Amino acid sequence: MKIKYNAIIPMLGIILLVSTLGISQPKPVYTKYVNTFIGTAPLYDPEIVGYEYPKGWRSWAGLTFPGSSLPNAMVQLSPVTEYGSGAGYEYEDSMIYGFTHTNKGHWNLCNIPILPLSRPAETYASRFSHQKESAAPGFYQVYLDDYNVDVKLTSTLRCGYHQYAFRDNTDRQVLFDLGRANNRVSGWNIEQAGPMAVQGYQQTGERIYFYARLNTNIDRIEKKDDGQRNGNAVVHLANGSTQPVELKIGLSFVSVENAKQNLEAEIADKSFETVRNEATQTWEKLLSSVQVKGGTDKQMQMLYSCLYRSFLWPALRSDVNGEYTDAKKQVVKGDFRYYTEPSLWDTYRNKDVLLGLISPKVTLDVIKSMKDVGDKKGFLPTFFHGDHGLSSIAGAYQRGITDFDIKGTYQIMLKNANMPGGPRAHIAEYIEKGFISDPDIPNPKVETKANAGVSKTLEYAYDDYSVAQIAKHLGDTTNYRLMMARSKNYKNVFDPATRFMRGRLANGDWITPFNPQYPYYEYMYREANAWQVSFYAPHDMPGLIALYGGAAGFESKLDSLFTVPWNPRYIARNVESFIGQYCHGNQPDHEAPFAYHFIGKPEKSQKILDNILNNFYGIGEDGLALCGMDDAGELSAWYVFSALGLYPFSATDAEYIVTAPLFDEVTWRTSSGKTLTIKKPNKGRDLKTIKVNGKANKGYFVSHDLFKNGGTLEILTK
């Protein structure tokens, strides 16, 4: 498949960016490679996408945001160009409606919109251009053409810092557009809290409180449709000052008082440049965990941009005083930082592992947060599909993140795996039959709603394997054997006649008619077709290969995955960007490119991997598109691991499959303070020999001990 892409990423607003750095801004070392606009542009090229988009559709090429955030912060301060879009910002747009303070990229959040106004029209929005826009980790800047205001944004963990340079310093206004967000707003409030401060909340699915302090007096607050959806409040500032308006805002999911306390603790009287410098240094420290030599400019940019995006979610939810609102909507005080759940259907594969390698304290607190949810609601949380929190927890534990109540967590894991009413839909049928069925539906469509029984069976089998590993560690032999037996349930949806994972009816019959190329959202498969799920058994690849009749049969089928062309009439949004039937724009088959390793042909894996690394990231007309949704960092983390030559093929297991890195040398600064050096001295891409600390390695996997103890991994290629 021939892929066309623009390899040159434009340096957006470079003159403005340089002019705003100031002499106090430290020279960036790693943040200079990060382009926060990557993932904000659309992708329409049918050669990559696989089909022509229907009229009115926009591709889901990234759905990232360009604004300011610290790693895994409560605040993501970013512009909104379209409410209801994935992350609020779409690169092709020309109007900004506000700057919001929360973001994920899943059509949600975008809370507490604020916009400076100067002699506004009835509709609050301003034109802007990319020539007067710039961004870097922890910083965003744009000039609002209609209001003649230069906006600069930076942030801390729980606070945002706005700076507005008005051309006209009379009748300056600040819009609090509290009736709007990506989630439906059910109520809001704002009130003056002193001569230069306002406070209030926005209610969506949860209540988000804020306390904002300005550097100039407030004349009055003008409200429209007070507390109502689509209502707003305009804060009119007193005349007399010609200095840039500064607005410092603290957030809290507990109370206004906590929002104010967060602001006092994290910003207080600090200047904008001081806060921005601290944000830069925070990102410099994190990004410097991985250092590389060699590689092209684009590869350096993609590596550090993807590493950056891998650390934006999950998001902090507890305040500086330790308080948070728990799963039962009660305010409690914890001895750990409380986080949102990870985007588990996606990120368990790789990003949760990456988080643990570089920020193990965050991973530990995420696990404690999930345990807290389990204690309160009876089950560990999941996201979207599957029960993959079990893999993330088991994988972290096996990699040495153990300072939590593993016995108590394990008991809830067993409930997840066995009890109805939790994250595992149709668990009773799964336990009884060893598979989950789908109904017999005549002429099913892409959007047909059913059980996604094949995908659930495959994913539950892997989740069972994850539980089994903790059972083994704890000496629970009975449940270890039971869960390991259930981990083989993936075989129950393999049809030997067609050699596909195939849907079954409740009586066990195969669903007919059967078209392995046709994609479904929830019928038999979850956002996939039969091709894309038929190579998923990361915990038991020898068993999977045996289903295909051995290495030769497996190789033949795997070859077909990457060569049978996608039918352009089969349009399923989010199932996009193909090499044959393989879909890199969505997650279900992200392990498949590595599968040739298991039949001793890593060179065939490497050809696929190199195609993806070089042609599916930083693409499109402006070089700013991704081949699919970043999904809270999973697509980015896939790139990071694959570009560096190690990938957590089975995230539950403390080992990594070895591939040829893009770079000549990689240095990881591990969380234990040790150094892992990866060397690829030759220019070839075909993997021939792996050496660990000078000794030849057996097989294609290396142990997590390399991260734990440090060492040297030499990858010899031809």
Side-chain angles (χ1 to χ4, degrees):
M1 172 179 173
K2 184 179 179 181
I3 302 294
K4 296 185 297 185
Y5 67 95
N6 182 353
I8 300 174
I9 307 295
M11 297 301 292
L12 302 169
I14 189 168
I15 295 176
L16 267 171
L17 178 57
V18 171
S19 69
T20 60
L21 288 177
I23 60 174
S24 63
Q25 178 68 13
K27 184 177 180 180
V29 179
Y30 301 99
T31 53
K32 69 181 180 182
Y33 295 113
V34 176
N35 187 334
T36 64
F37 292 98
I38 292 175
T40 65
L43 179 65
Y44 294 114
D45 187 348
E47 285 196 49
I48 301 175
V49 173
Y51 46 77
E52 297 277 358
Y53 280 105
K55 186 177 180 180
W57 278 28
R58 184 192 191 269
S59 67
W60 290 357
L63 304 187
T64 62
F65 63 91
S68 175
S69 178
L70 290 191
N72 302 105
M74 181 182 294
V75 167
Q76 300 84 34
L77 180 48
S78 194
V80 168
T81 64
E82 183 177 351
Y83 286 100
S85 62
Y89 181 95
E90 297 184 337
Y91 190 77
E92 67 272 27
D93 292 340
S94 59
M95 299 289 289
I96 285 177
Y97 294 93
F99 303 100
T100 64
H101 294 77
T102 61
N103 210 302
K104 182 187 178 187
H106 273 90
W107 301 276
N108 60 349
L109 301 176
C110 292
N111 298 106
I112 320 294
I114 295 177
L115 183 69
L117 309 174
S118 180
R119 305 187 184 281
E122 291 185 6
T123 300
Y124 298 131
S126 175
R127 290 170 293 174
F128 77 104
S129 69
H130 298 307
Q131 287 70 38
K132 293 183 284 185
E133 181 187 42
S134 59
F139 176 74
Y140 175 83
Q141 174 275 331
V142 69
Y143 191 83
L144 301 179
D145 292 329
D146 288 316
Y147 300 140
N148 292 307
V149 179
D150 188 30
V151 176
K152 298 177 185 176
L153 309 174
T154 189
S155 58
T156 65
L157 282 175
R158 303 171 179 88
C159 305
Y161 199 145
H162 302 234
Q163 188 179 84
Y164 310 139
F166 287 82
R167 180 185 294 181
D168 184 349
N169 285 296
T170 61
D171 193 24
R172 298 164 301 175
Q173 304 170 24
V174 179
L175 170 70
F176 282 72
D177 207 0
L178 297 174
R180 306 181 81 178
N182 262 7
N183 296 103
R184 183 182 180 90
V185 175
S186 58
W188 56 269
N189 172 264
I190 187 173
E191 60 187 18
Q192 193 164 341
M196 294 189 292
V198 295
Q199 64 187 28
Y201 67 83
Q202 186 182 57
Q203 181 80 43
T204 54
E206 52 195 342
R207 181 168 290 193
I208 304 173
Y209 299 90
F210 65 89
Y211 177 88
R213 187 171 66 241
L214 294 114
N215 65 342
T216 189
N217 285 331
I218 296 170
D219 180 65
R220 69 187 189 279
I221 301 177
E222 180 183 358
K223 300 181 184 181
K224 175 185 175 183
D225 296 330
D226 192 357
Q228 301 300 307
R229 187 184 181 207
N230 296 323
N232 58 59
V234 176
V235 177
H236 294 259
L237 306 181
N239 293 327
S241 172
T242 60
Q243 297 299 312
V245 171
E246 294 191 335
L247 185 152
K248 304 174 180 179
I249 182 170
L251 262 59
S252 170
F253 288 75
V254 172
S255 67
V256 165
E257 292 75 20
N258 280 15
K260 183 177 181 180
Q261 187 176 355
N262 291 341
L263 183 62
E264 293 299 328
E266 294 184 359
I267 295 184
D269 296 326
K270 292 179 182 178
S271 69
F272 185 92
E273 282 301 312
T274 296
V275 174
R276 182 189 171 186
N277 291 351
E278 291 174 350
T280 299
Q281 291 308 306
T282 296
W283 280 112
E284 285 286 338
K285 181 179 179 181
L286 188 150
L287 296 172
S288 69
S289 298
V290 176
Q291 301 175 21
V292 298
K293 296 178 182 179
T296 66
D297 289 344
K298 180 182 178 182
Q299 288 168 345
M300 292 286 284
Q301 183 180 60
M302 289 311 308
L303 173 66
Y304 286 104
S305 297
C306 286
L307 187 58
Y308 164 80
R309 280 194 304 274
S310 298
F311 286 84
L312 297 174
W313 194 266
L316 181 65
R317 286 295 179 262
S318 56
D319 296 322
V320 293
N321 63 8
E323 291 183 343
Y324 59 92
T325 300
D326 70 9
K328 286 193 169 183
K329 308 298 183 184
Q330 300 298 309
V331 174
V332 296
K333 191 169 186 175
D335 58 359
F336 60 93
R337 286 182 172 179
Y338 189 76
Y339 287 90
T340 62
E341 66 202 37
S343 193
L344 289 165
W345 191 53
D346 313 303
T347 61
Y348 84 96
R349 302 170 190 272
N350 48 41
K351 203 207 80 165
D352 293 354
V353 177
L354 185 60
L355 182 68
L357 291 176
I358 293 178
S359 300
K361 182 61 169 65
V362 174
T363 293
L364 177 63
D365 285 346
V366 168
I367 292 171
K368 290 181 177 180
S369 301
M370 294 172 66
K371 165 69 159 49
D372 189 75
V373 173
D375 289 338
K376 306 294 174 58
K377 302 190 75 173
F379 297 95
L380 295 167
T382 191
F383 174 79
F384 191 67
H385 199 257
D387 190 16
H388 302 315
L390 309 190
S391 172
S392 295
I393 293 170
Y397 188 81
Q398 295 203 104
R399 288 177 174 85
I401 299 175
T402 59
D403 189 20
F404 63 97
D405 178 10
I406 184 59
K407 291 183 178 179
T409 303
Y410 172 62
Q411 291 304 314
I412 309 175
M413 293 171 77
L414 288 174
K415 287 186 65 178
N416 275 41
N418 292 291
M419 298 293 292
R424 295 204 193 188
H426 310 287
I427 186 62
E429 182 183 30
Y430 174 78
I431 292 173
E432 177 190 355
K433 300 176 181 177
F435 67 88
I436 295 171
S437 65
D438 273 279
D440 189 3
I441 298 177
N443 195 28
K445 307 297 183 185
V446 169
E447 300 84 0
T448 294
K449 293 186 179 298
N451 301 337
V454 176
S455 293
K456 282 187 173 66
T457 301
L458 297 174
E459 294 178 32
Y460 290 0
Y462 184 68
D463 299 330
D464 288 341
Y465 173 81
S466 302
V467 178
Q469 304 318 299
I470 300 300
K472 183 178 181 180
H473 277 284
L474 296 179
D476 184 355
T477 304
T478 300
N479 277 307
Y480 171 73
R481 290 174 176 169
L482 174 63
M483 290 295 153
M484 284 301 293
R486 281 172 40 174
S487 76
K488 309 296 184 183
N489 281 344
Y490 72 89
K491 298 180 180 181
N492 296 333
V493 289
F494 182 81
D495 173 18
T498 62
R499 299 199 307 159
F500 284 106
M501 300 295 177
R502 181 176 176 182
R504 305 185 78 159
L505 300 173
N507 65 4
D509 290 347
W510 299 112
I511 289 177
T512 56
F514 176 63
N515 180 354
Q517 295 187 32
Y518 195 81
Y520 297 100
Y521 289 146
E522 294 184 67
Y523 187 59
M524 297 191 286
Y525 313 106
R526 190 58 156 143
E527 294 186 0
N529 67 11
W531 278 103
Q532 292 150 12
V533 304
S534 290
F535 301 91
Y536 180 86
H539 58 299
D540 186 24
M541 290 301 288
L544 180 67
I545 291 168
L547 293 180
Y548 288 94
F554 184 77
E555 181 180 10
S556 173
K557 195 72 169 183
L558 194 58
D559 287 345
S560 296
L561 170 69
F562 295 109
T563 55
V564 172
W566 184 261
N567 187 331
R569 294 174 299 166
Y570 295 166
I571 299 174
R573 204 171 203 169
N574 206 28
V575 183
E576 59 191 10
S577 300
F578 303 100
I579 302 174
Q581 293 291 307
Y582 172 78
C583 172
H584 198 68
N586 205 17
Q587 284 70 34
D589 54 356
H590 274 186
E591 292 76 22
F594 304 91
Y596 287 108
H597 280 63
F598 294 91
I599 54 173
K601 297 194 175 180
E603 68 279 1
K604 297 185 78 170
S605 281
Q606 198 62 54
K607 285 183 173 61
I608 302 298
L609 295 172
D610 287 347
N611 186 356
I612 297 168
L613 289 167
N614 293 324
N615 300 322
F616 283 71
Y617 291 80
I619 51 180
E621 182 178 345
D622 298 299
L624 297 176
L626 298 174
C627 65
M629 282 182 64
D630 195 41
D631 276 311
E634 189 278 344
L635 197 70
S636 290
W638 190 99
Y639 185 98
V640 170
F641 276 120
S642 300
L644 298 180
L646 295 174
Y647 190 85
F649 183 82
S650 170
T652 295
D653 296 308
E655 61 181 11
Y656 307 87
I657 199 166
V658 177
T659 62
L662 292 178
F663 305 94
D664 299 333
E665 185 171 308
V666 177
T667 302
W668 283 78
R669 187 184 70 246
T670 74
S671 59
S672 60
K674 303 295 178 65
T675 298
L676 165 61
T677 302
I678 304 170
K679 296 181 178 180
K680 187 183 77 67
N682 305 326
K683 295 299 182 183
R685 302 298 297 161
D686 291 352
L687 178 61
K688 295 302 180 184
T689 305
I690 301 167
K691 291 184 178 181
V692 177
N693 296 326
K695 296 181 180 180
N697 187 71
K698 294 182 179 180
Y700 300 108
F701 281 87
V702 294
S703 168
H704 181 72
D705 288 345
L706 275 172
F707 285 97
K708 181 180 177 182
N709 303 322
T712 300
L713 173 64
E714 192 172 7
I715 301 171
L716 302 179
T717 59
K718 182 178 179 181

